[in-house]
């Protein structure tokens, strides 16, 4: 009743004063913004603080919250504008300088960020230096900066960024140590829960990972990250329909978010909805990175929609940039065969088909390519394709990969040793060397990695493993650095190579 009376009174007022009935209460909106920011709902925080600033445009506290919100949303332009207004309002200090440096970094101005941070030894400054190094592809510089920052004092944002860096490089032991710091500084924060889940996922502890992601999803109901992570786990377990449900839920939370769109594309590709994949990605065709899942899925969509030449161009580029990507190699061969270049297809697929790890798909493609090229090798591939040993090898390979995921090193070695011919397959030997170094059996690991490298001396994976086992053993450091440097030169975009080489150089 009271609301109706107020509405009547407002309608009775002159037009010149009518706007007062809809005036924003800046104090209430600012309180909403702070509450949303604390809950890490940055989109709602920005909307609320902008509404508050409409009524109190020079309020320093509001402008500071707007700048912090824009930084959290990775909006460098918005943050720069807010920080400019703060300075015009008389604000100054080291915090403001660091935020200005972060805004410059987000706008692609790394040198300017470093200039602003000159002489600053606080943890926040080291986090930003690490980010500049990462943007420049300097993993060694990033690692050194992170370590300086961690020594400089406790800072949650620094710890979270460092944990993410370690996860990308596969250093789970150090990531665990950093997670303990995050739990002390921010036990219920989104990054803490997500980092705990990701570490568990990397260790193959999928139940623990799912529990952490569900807790994050329940606590942060507007954020898509935990829903995307739950979809990843469902995908790993082969539950495509469950992953599709999570994709729809993530899209409700954050439509247009890049990671959500990537999830939608992945689910569509797994379900064979190629027209949907093409419709989503076609507007970004010129900017797609062919090494990413989206770039590779776009090629597969084109292939399945009758455009093999376009698909072949995508996969040829992908294999050039990532020469050890088996999916890119397989799909390039499929595209070549579909385009009528059967001899090329056979040459492309042979490294996969000749491996003791070859499965039904690789051997079937090799048979089809060889038959189309009238190559007598078709008979040998067909014999392997129809041999009872294929199912045995596939089961053993699957068991070994599952053991690798959960870091069960003895099970990895046991499974691979049961595959006939394992000791003459570079890929298998590389994986066995990884297990042996994980067990601390350094002499065996070095011998196994060296044999893999001898079998495939130009393969960056073999070069990297031969260096890594020496690094882990604390031996022949110069040789370890040299081997890992050569691997990185052959595959410069490989994040794990970068992270391990950074460790070798520090």
């Amino acid at each position: 009743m009271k609301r109706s009376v107020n509405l009547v009174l407002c309608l009775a007022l002159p037009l010149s004063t009518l706007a007062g009935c809809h005036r924003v209460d800046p104090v209430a909106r600012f309180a909403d913004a702070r509450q949303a920011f604390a809950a890490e709902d940055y989109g709602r925080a920005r909307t609320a603080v902008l509404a508050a600033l409409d009524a109190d445009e020079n309020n320093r506290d509001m402008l500071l919250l707007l700048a912090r919100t824009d930084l959290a949303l990775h909006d460098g332009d918005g943050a720069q504008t807010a920080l400019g207004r703060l300075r015009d309002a008389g604000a100054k200090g080291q915090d403001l300088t660091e935020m200005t440096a972060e805004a410059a970094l987000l706008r692609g101005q790394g040198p300017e960020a470093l200039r602003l941070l000159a002489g600053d030894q606080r943890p926040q400054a080291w986090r930003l230096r690490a980010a500049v190094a990462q943007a420049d592809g300097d993993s060694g510089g990033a690692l050194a900066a992170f370590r300086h920052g961690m020594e400089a004092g406790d800072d949650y944002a620094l710890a979270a960024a460092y944990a993410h860096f370690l996860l990308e490089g596969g250093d789970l032991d150090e990531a665990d140590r950093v997670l303990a710091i995050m739990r002390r500084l921010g036990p219920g924060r989104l990054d803490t829960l997500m980092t705990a889940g990701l570490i568990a996922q990397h260790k193959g502890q999928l139940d623990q990972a799912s529990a952490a992601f569900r807790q994050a999803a329940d606590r942060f109901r507007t954020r898509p990250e935990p829903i995307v992570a739950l979809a990843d786990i469902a995908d790993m377990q082969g539950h495509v329909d469950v992953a599709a449900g999570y994709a729809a839920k993530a899209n409700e939370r954050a439509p247009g978010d890049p990671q959500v769109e990537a999830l939608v594309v992945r689910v569509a590709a797994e379900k064979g909805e190629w027209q949907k994949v093409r419709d989503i990605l076609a507007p970004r065709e010129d900017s797609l990175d062919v090494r990413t899942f989206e770039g590779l899925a776009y090629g597969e969509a084109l292939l399945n929609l009758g455009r093999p030449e376009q698909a072949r161009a995508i996969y040829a580029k992908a294999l050039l940039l990532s020469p050890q990507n088996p999916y890119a190699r397989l799909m390039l061969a499929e595209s070549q065969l579909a385009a009528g270049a059967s001899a090329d297809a056979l040459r492309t697929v042979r490294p996969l088909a000749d491996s003791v790890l070859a499965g039904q798909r690789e051997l079937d493609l090799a048979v089809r390519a060889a038959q189309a090229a009238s190559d007598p090798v078709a008979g040998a591939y067909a014999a392997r394709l129809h041999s009872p040993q294929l199912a045995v090898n596939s089961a053993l390979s699957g068991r070994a990969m599952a053991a690798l995921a959960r870091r069960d090193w003895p099970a990895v070695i046991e499974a691979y040793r049961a595959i006939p011919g394992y000791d003459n397959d570079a890929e298998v030997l590389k994986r066995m060397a990884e297990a042996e170094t994980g067990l601390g059996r350094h002499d065996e690991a070095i011998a196994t990695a060296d044999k893999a490298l001898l079998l495939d001396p130009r393969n960056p994976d073999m070069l990297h493993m031969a260096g890594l086992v020496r690094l882990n053993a604390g031996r022949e450091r110069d040789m370890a650095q040299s081997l890992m440097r050569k691997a990185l030169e052959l595959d410069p975009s490989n994040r794990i190579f970068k992270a391990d080489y950074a460790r070798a150089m520090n």
Side-chain angles (χ1 to χ4, degrees), residues 102-119:
E102 186 164 4
L105 174 62
L106 289 170
R107 298 174 69 243
Q109 300 172 346
E112 173 64 9
L114 294 178
R115 185 190 69 78
L116 289 165
L117 296 170

Side-chain angles (χ1 to χ4, degrees), residues 194 197-198 201 209-210 212-214 224-236 246 250 259 263 266:
M194 291 298 297
L198 289 170
Q201 181 177 331
S210 296
F213 295 144
R214 287 195 188 96
E225 295 94 326
I227 303 299
V228 173
L230 286 167
D232 289 341
I233 290 180
D235 211 9
M236 290 172 62
Y246 283 129
Q259 65 178 326
L263 172 60
R266 188 172 79 232

Side-chain angles (χ1 to χ4, degrees), residues 4 57 91 121 124 216 242-243 352 354 361 366 411-412 467:
S4 299
E57 62 182 13
Q121 298 298 305
Q124 300 94 315
V242 175
L352 299 177
D354 289 344
R361 186 173 184 184
V412 172

